[in-house]
Structure formats: structure tokens, C-alpha cells
Amino acid sequence: MNALPPADRTGPAGPLADFASLRTPEGAALLDELRDHDPARELATATRLRRTHPAALVSAALGQARLRQRAVAKFGAEDAYRMFFTPNGVEQATRSSVAGHRAGRFAALGVRSVADLCCGIGGDAIALARAGISVLAVDRDPLTAQVARANAEALGLQDRVEVRCADVTGIDTSPYDAVFVDPARRGGRGRIFDPEAYSPPLSWATGAALAAPRAALKIAPGVPHEAIAPQAEAEWISDGGDVKEAVLWFGEGFTPGAFRATLLPSGTTLVSGGRPPAPPVGPVGRYLYEPDGAVIRAHLVARIAEACGGRLIDETIAYVTSEREYASDAVSGYEITDQLPFNTKKLKALLRERRVGVLTVKKRGSAVEPEELRRRMKLQGPHAATVFLTRVAGAPTMLIGQPVARP
């Protein structure tokens, strides 16, 4: 959030004034009333409320109500409906489960104070404070800093969170046990993919991390591995099977050059112990294993192959196959019943014969669109199946099977 330009505050009205109005008794009551409002009926709701409330307050409250509803997915209802958000803040904020995991790693190492640079609306500061850590939360946008301060107060954490509106590059972090940096990865044209175009740039954030006793640097999960500093331990985190972010850890307690995949909510972790040999490639066996996205991003698919005594179906495809049934939070397993060269007519005939009415389509190494394939299959019947559109030894292939139930 550090890169966002200051909001327009010319004149008596503006984002800061609108936000202040939401923190009055009248604004708080209006937000409570709008907690379960239906966005589809917003025009009628606005018309009704403007009869008894100022129009600017109604607009601000409706906007905040929408943001709170969006934020439930990241923060849970109990917190989201007490907190405040900005549009960019709710988009960029860390999911609470991920922030809690990261705060837990700091706390386990005895960290008692953290400088949270580019704090945004305060999601990470909240998690750190709840882990018993004192936080200096810094953001240069005045509205964002006000929102972060309000969130600490709303959740009863104001004694552990100091919010400062300032440019993070001017902050002295030497009094703190650790530094956390979350550079802005969105600009006026959307998501930023070049790490040096982050604000502040990845190189500056890395320098700030290296200057601290311990540090964590949040980056996009698609960051090129060559952009990762050799002094960092890199961790990719997924939650519920979706890769959420990557973190670079620096300092005492972390392993430079190590790659780690952490899977939430279970907390299962895979760590590289040096670069493993490339997995063998071979024919499709009885079982197919789809590694979690964090495992793939961390280049730890070879660990899965080792664990299940398996092999890749193609040297460029992250599907592992084995004759052995293998259970782990790090993979989704499937029992394969059929292997066919890619041919939609043959697939349609097989599905009709098996009376498949529900088809899950997964693809890796195929340009076919799953929705289009399902439409062409004209599915009917009481049974379900999964089809993998992929390559086996370089050849376009269809694998049909069923998920293996986890114990």
C-alpha cells in the first residue's frame, strides 16, 4: 500500500472526512444496520436511508458495507464486521490464516517487536499483535494509516500496535527485533509483475530485510526464483489448496537458500534439503498425484515422487504417478481407470457408456478449455468422473479416474 497516491482531500469533504463520519455514533449505527444488506437492493436502500441521514454518510456507509462483506473471506465475519477497509486494502490484505502463520514463525523465534513496513489496513499488524508482538505499523497514505489505526482499536489491540503515517524508506528499524515488508504489487494499471516495479522495489525491501536481525518480505508467489536473494529462505504458502503468497525470510533461525512449501490449514510443511535429483519419468501407473500449488511453486515435486516411490508422467508436467496409494495433505490423489490419446469423440463415447453426468476437468499442458469440453460432452447419468487433459511422454493424453478418499 506504500505506493498508492494520497487521496484527494481538497475541500471539506473527501475520503478522510468520509471515513471520520463512519466512526461517529451515527456512522457506527448505520454500519450495524447495513451489515446484512443486499447489494442488489442498494439503490432502494440508499434512497430510504437518505431520508434520515446525510447523503455523504450514506454513500460512505454503503461503500464500507460492501467492503466488509468482501473481507469476510479473508478475515472471518467476527473481525471483518468490526474492521474498516479501503478498496485497495481489502484486495491486498493478507488472509488472516496466512498472517497468523507468519506471525507464529516470528513468535516461535522469540521476536517481541516488529516494524511492519507498508502495513496497509493492518492485517499483518493485527496477527503479529495477537501473537504477543509489539508492532510499529507504517504506511505513507494518510487514509490507509487512519484505517489501520482504527482496526487496531476496533479489535482491542491499540496497546500493541503503533501506527505511523510516513514513508517507509525513512524509518529507523534498528530498535526492533524484526522487520516485515509488504511492498505494493498493484498500480494504476493493475497487478505488477516486475519485482523492481514494486513500491518500494524488491531490491530496497531486500536491503531493509538484510539490515535487520530477522525479517520477512512478502512477495507474489509467481516471483522468478532467480530474483530471490541467496541469503533468503523462500516459503510458498497455500490455504485450502490455493497458493496465496510467498515470503522471503532472513536472519537467525532461517536457512539461506532453502525452499519451503506450507499448506494451511493443516500446517504441513515440505522443505528442500539441497536440490534433489530430477524425478524419473515413466508410464502412468494406478495412481496419479496432483501436488499442491505451493509444492509446485517451491520446486519440491521431486519430494512427492520420492515419498510415493513415483515418477513424472512427462518431464515438463507436475503430475506424479505411482503404483502405490499415498496419502498426504501435499497432494490430491486419483485412481486412474483409463488412458486414451486425446480424442473428444472417444471421451464422449466412454462417458456415455459409463453414464457420467458430473465431470471434473483438470488440465496441465493442454490448451483445451474445461468448460468448452464439458459442453461438448453432453453429460447425462448418475455417476461422476475426473478427466486430466495433459501430456504423457510428450503426447496429448486423456486420463480418466476417481479421487482417492483421504483417511
Side-chain angles (χ1 to χ4, degrees):
M1 295 288 290
N2 198 57
L4 297 177
D8 178 13
R9 284 170 296 280
T10 57
L16 279 173
D18 290 342
F19 179 65
S21 72
L22 294 176
R23 304 198 67 202
T24 64
E26 183 181 9
L30 198 52
L31 285 173
D32 286 343
E33 182 179 346
L34 289 170
R35 173 179 172 129
D36 299 316
H37 93 288
D38 181 359
R41 296 180 52 81
E42 189 162 296
L43 180 59
T45 301
T47 300
R48 175 178 59 82
L49 292 175
R50 282 170 180 160
R51 297 189 188 112
T52 52
H53 300 282
L57 175 60
V58 171
S59 295
L62 284 167
Q64 191 61 223
R66 289 194 300 271
L67 294 174
R68 284 180 166 184
Q69 289 179 348
R70 287 173 55 193
V72 168
K74 287 188 174 183
F75 291 91
E78 184 176 354
D79 281 354
Y81 285 111
R82 290 189 288 165
M83 293 172 66
F84 298 90
F85 302 95
T86 65
N88 281 297
V90 76
E91 180 72 27
Q92 297 186 40
T94 303
R95 183 178 290 261
S96 61
S97 56
V98 177
H101 161 74
R102 190 165 46 233
R105 290 200 74 185
F106 269 140
L109 291 171
V111 169
R112 306 304 299 166
S113 62
V114 170
D116 177 1
L117 307 182
C118 312
C119 69
I121 55 92
D124 284 283
I126 288 166
L128 290 164
R130 283 176 167 169
I133 296 170
S134 297
V135 185
L136 170 66
V138 184
D139 201 285
R140 79 174 185 182
D141 178 67
L143 175 61
T144 303
Q146 289 277 22
V147 171
R149 186 175 294 110
N151 285 335
E153 293 173 2
L155 299 179
L157 299 169
Q158 62 271 24
D159 291 342
R160 290 183 182 167
V161 179
E162 174 195 349
V163 179
R164 189 178 302 173
C165 183
D167 190 314
V168 299
T169 61
I171 297 296
D172 176 13
T173 63
S174 60
Y176 299 89
D177 296 341
V179 167
F180 172 63
V181 190
D182 181 7
R185 295 179 301 282
R186 283 185 176 272
R189 297 185 178 180
R191 196 176 297 276
I192 297 170
F193 296 98
D194 177 6
E196 283 307 296
Y198 292 173
S199 182
L202 181 60
S203 56
W204 180 91
T206 300
L210 289 170
R214 294 186 178 94
L217 169 54
K218 177 180 171 180
I219 56 175
V223 65
H225 282 213
E226 58 269 22
I228 296 173
Q231 303 95 325
E233 174 187 304
E235 179 181 28
W236 282 261
I237 304 171
S238 69
D239 190 6
D242 295 327
V243 183
K244 295 302 180 183
E245 65 179 57
V247 187
L248 305 184
W249 298 94
F250 299 83
E252 185 179 352
F254 307 110
T255 306
F259 288 174
R260 175 186 296 263
T262 298
L263 319 177
L264 301 177
S266 69
T268 296
T269 296
L270 280 72
V271 185
S272 63
R275 184 175 294 277
V281 179
V284 177
R286 180 177 178 183
Y287 297 100
L288 187 76
Y289 298 106
E290 180 181 28
D292 184 276
V295 174
I296 296 172
R297 294 280 192 181
H299 292 184
L300 293 173
V301 174
R303 297 294 184 205
I304 302 298
E306 288 177 344
C308 70
R311 55 200 176 267
L312 299 180
I313 63 172
D314 183 281
E315 63 181 6
T316 65
I317 302 294
Y319 284 139
V320 176
T321 188
S322 175
E323 307 302 331
R324 183 197 310 171
E325 187 171 355
Y326 169 69
S328 169
D329 291 333
V331 300
S332 298
Y334 300 83
E335 186 170 9
I336 300 302
T337 57
D338 300 89
Q339 178 177 342
L340 303 170
F342 181 80
N343 185 304
T344 56
K345 289 184 178 179
K346 288 183 178 180
L347 178 62
K348 184 176 181 180
L350 185 147
L351 297 176
R352 185 170 57 244
E353 177 186 335
R354 304 271 175 86
R355 299 175 64 205
V356 171
V358 178
L359 183 67
T360 300
V361 181
K362 292 179 170 286
K363 68 170 191 171
R364 190 161 286 159
S366 172
V368 176
E369 291 297 328
E371 288 300 327
E372 174 63 16
L373 181 70
R374 269 192 289 266
R375 185 187 65 79
R376 292 168 63 183
M377 292 300 100
K378 301 187 185 303
L379 301 166
Q380 289 185 347
H383 303 303
T386 300
V387 60
F388 294 85
L389 307 177
T390 187
R391 293 193 305 272
V392 175
T397 303
M398 302 181 299
L399 304 175
I400 297 92
Q402 298 285 345
V404 176
R406 290 185 176 179

